[in-house]
Amino acid sequence: MGWRGILGFEYGIVQAPLGPDISGPELVAAVANAGGLGILRAPDWEAPDYLRELIRKTRTLTDKPFGVGVVLAFPHEENIKAILNEKVAVLQVYWGECSKQLVQESHCAGVKVVPQVGSLEETRKALEAGVDAIIVQGREAGGHVIGQEGLISLLPRVVDLIGDQDIPVIAAGGIVDARGYVAALALGAQGVCLGTRFVATLESCAHPTYKRRLVELDKTDYTNIFGRSRWPNAPQRALQTPFFNDWKDIPAYENELNQPVIGHSTVHGIEKEIRRLAGPVPNVTATGDIESMAMYAGEGVGLIDEILPAGEVVKRLVDGALLLIQAHFSGL
């Protein structure tokens, strides 16, 4: 069964790479120490030396394997070289071509490659490239959403396409608890990938106001108002905060470049201005008008009612899934 582990990890629980730097060494190590796959998020610019330090810092907090996520829409070649040189367990890629060459180079370094896809066509390309597992993202997911199809319809089609190939399928999108985990298993997944639930943990680098809003609010919307200039044609699912509800209908020509600076933040060691309508969510260093910054969340956010240690999130997912299966399905 899925909770028995994937890709050599104890459990089939994956913590999504949370941008811009929300999944730092503390969160990734906590997930890894609990038996899941924790994933760092690489900078969206070339910073190989910094990335090496991030990987090495994580290794001081855990002796378990972990991964690094890279958004291929941004400069990444030197970052990937650093990841492969450091021989992390998993390279997770998203929003770009996962080429056969990239997979071959990663395998030569002993690194597994796991792309995130949002369609059957992307799945076919990933299979042709020779990847080790596939994360299937449904439209319910928080943050940037690459596909248009819901998880409950897309996931079993991907499972059928892969057939008897030894390539684990990992479900992503709106999953926050054991019920979602078991539902994904029933649809054919071997694991689940959670983002929003891990943002709302003690170890995440999200700003406290962002974490609090994930507990307080329960509605999201599929939108494109954030970061239109920096990352065009990259829609998001965001919390319906008061700011979002006031700004969600802005004209298509509006973007962050013609908006005022509303705050500042240090992202991967670099000082950044935060303009209104900018794409990055507020991390723990953010100052200014936090309530007017982007706050991404998946549709399952209404099931989050407290901030937990990341290890406890993993434990509740695994224990809860076992109980559900034993109570409702073991006698079938």
Side-chain angles (χ1 to χ4, degrees):
M1 300 296 289
W3 73 84
R4 300 296 293 178
I6 51 172
L7 299 172
F9 293 84
E10 187 175 355
Y11 300 124
I13 310 291
V14 180
Q15 164 252 303
L18 306 168
D21 60 352
I22 302 303
S23 55
E26 291 77 12
L27 175 57
V28 170
V31 172
N33 287 333
L37 168 54
I39 305 180
L40 295 167
R41 169 67 183 273
D44 291 337
W45 57 89
E46 296 284 28
D49 292 337
Y50 172 86
L51 187 53
R52 288 189 195 95
E53 293 176 7
L54 205 64
I55 292 167
R56 292 171 185 177
K57 180 178 180 181
T58 307
R59 284 178 171 148
T60 68
L61 302 174
T62 183
D63 59 0
K64 303 289 182 64
F66 56 89
V68 181
V70 176
V71 177
L72 299 177
F74 298 108
H76 58 266
E77 290 186 4
E78 295 303 313
N79 287 342
I80 287 181
K81 286 180 183 177
I83 292 166
L84 300 187
N85 287 338
E86 288 294 321
K87 299 186 183 300
V88 299
V90 172
L91 169 63
Q92 191 271 342
V93 293
Y94 186 41
W95 217 284
E97 182 187 2
C98 179
S99 67
K100 185 173 294 187
Q101 179 181 348
L102 173 59
V103 174
Q104 290 174 342
E105 291 174 353
S106 300
H107 287 172
C108 286
V111 177
K112 295 182 173 72
V113 180
V114 181
Q116 180 163 275
V117 305
S119 68
L120 278 182
E121 182 58 32
E122 284 186 287
T123 302
R124 290 189 182 96
K125 292 178 180 178
L127 294 175
E128 291 171 1
V131 301
D132 299 280
I134 291 177
I135 299 172
V136 180
Q137 184 196 50
R139 199 173 187 265
E140 305 90 336
H144 293 89
V145 183
I146 200 168
Q148 290 294 316
E149 203 167 341
L151 186 64
I152 199 168
S153 58
L154 178 61
L155 178 57
R157 296 169 70 204
V158 170
V159 170
D160 290 346
L161 179 62
I162 291 175
D164 58 2
Q165 299 179 70
D166 187 20
I167 299 175
V169 177
I170 302 161
I175 301 169
V176 298
D177 64 14
R179 292 169 294 182
Y181 190 1
V182 172
L185 295 177
L187 292 169
Q190 285 81 51
V192 288
C193 180
L194 291 78
T196 309
R197 175 63 271 190
F198 282 114
V199 176
T201 57
L202 295 177
E203 296 90 347
S204 99
C205 292
H207 193 279
T209 299
Y210 181 16
K211 294 184 186 183
R212 175 171 55 82
R213 284 304 203 179
L214 292 174
V215 173
E216 294 174 344
L217 302 178
D218 61 2
K219 291 184 175 63
T220 67
D221 206 349
Y222 181 81
T223 183
N224 74 340
I225 69 168
F226 296 110
R228 286 174 174 173
S229 174
R230 179 174 174 271
W231 193 355
N233 303 311
Q236 320 96 31
R237 181 168 297 281
L239 271 177
Q240 289 187 21
T241 62
F243 170 82
F244 175 82
N245 288 330
D246 287 342
W247 285 78
K248 64 183 178 181
D249 297 320
I250 59 172
Y253 59 81
E254 292 282 1
N255 64 55
E256 68 272 28
L257 293 184
N258 57 21
Q259 298 295 317
V261 174
I262 62 169
H264 295 82
S265 182
T266 301
V267 179
H268 287 305
I270 304 296
E271 296 290 328
K272 300 277 188 179
E273 288 184 339
I274 303 175
R275 293 185 177 274
R276 189 166 57 202
L277 301 179
V281 298
N283 68 14
V284 70
T285 72
T287 59
D289 185 5
I290 306 297
E291 293 280 3
S292 296
M293 297 178 188
M295 295 186 186
Y296 302 140
E299 285 188 343
V301 68
L303 297 170
I304 297 174
D305 56 13
E306 60 182 325
I307 308 301
L308 294 170
E312 181 65 18
V313 171
V314 175
K315 184 178 187 300
R316 290 189 184 187
L317 284 163
V318 174
D319 292 348
L322 285 169
L323 286 173
L324 282 170
I325 290 169
Q326 289 167 358
H328 298 287
F329 305 108
S330 61
L332 297 179

